[in-house]
Amino acid sequence: QVQLVNSGGGLVQAGGSLRLSCAASGRTFSSSAMGWFRQAPGKEREFVAAITWSGGYTAYADSVKGRFTISRDNAKNTVALQMNSLKPEDTAVYYCAAASSWGTLPEEYDYWGQGTQVTVSS
C-alpha cells in the first residue's frame, strides 16, 4: 500500500508563488504516476497536473499551463507542484494522489493525500 502526505499550502497574494510537496511511502513501486488535483467549495475535484515516476512525462490542465510545474525527486520519493502567478481562482484544497497506471481522472487514482489548503487573495 501507499501513504501520501501533503504539505506546503498557505495564504498568498495574487501574483505570488507557493510550492506544494507530496511525500510517498509504502509500495511506491506499484504506482506508475503521481497527480495533483484540487477542489474548491461547491465544485467537483479537478485535475491539475500529473507526472510518471519513471520517465518524467507530464500533463497539465489548460487552466494552469505556463504557471504551474510538476516535478519529482525519485530518491526522496517526493513530488512537488510549483505554483507561480497565482490567481484567486486557484484557491482550493490541493490533493496529491498515486495511480497504478497513467491517468488524469480522479477515479483512476488509488491513493490520496490528506490535502492542503491554498488560498490566494486579491
Side-chain angles (χ1 to χ4, degrees):
Q1 292 5 80
V2 177
Q3 293 79 47
L4 304 174
V5 179
N6 294 82
S7 64
L11 174 65
V12 66
Q13 288 187 290
S17 299
L18 281 174
R19 186 177 180 87
L20 307 182
S21 183
C22 178
S25 62
R27 300 181 64 187
T28 56
F29 62 87
S30 65
S31 299
S32 63
M34 295 288 291
W36 287 95
F37 296 79
R38 66 187 183 187
Q39 188 166 23
K43 296 184 178 181
E44 295 183 347
R45 189 167 298 186
E46 65 173 347
F47 171 77
V48 176
I51 188 169
T52 59
W53 272 127
S54 58
Y57 177 80
T58 60
Y60 297 91
D62 289 342
S63 60
V64 305
K65 284 182 179 178
R67 299 189 299 120
F68 291 10
T69 302
I70 188 170
S71 62
R72 73 193 193 284
D73 186 335
N74 289 24
K76 297 181 179 179
N77 288 322
T78 59
V79 176
L81 184 70
Q82 178 67 43
M83 305 184 294
N84 298 326
S85 301
L86 283 163
K87 305 174 181 179
E89 51 262 44
D90 294 319
T91 296
V93 176
Y94 283 70
Y95 300 88
C96 64
S100 58
S101 60
W102 176 257
T104 57
L105 300 175
E107 56 264 36
E108 295 175 316
Y109 283 73
D110 305 304
Y111 305 98
W112 294 84
Q114 82 282 10
T116 186
Q117 178 70 45
V118 172
T119 302
V120 184
S121 62
S122 300

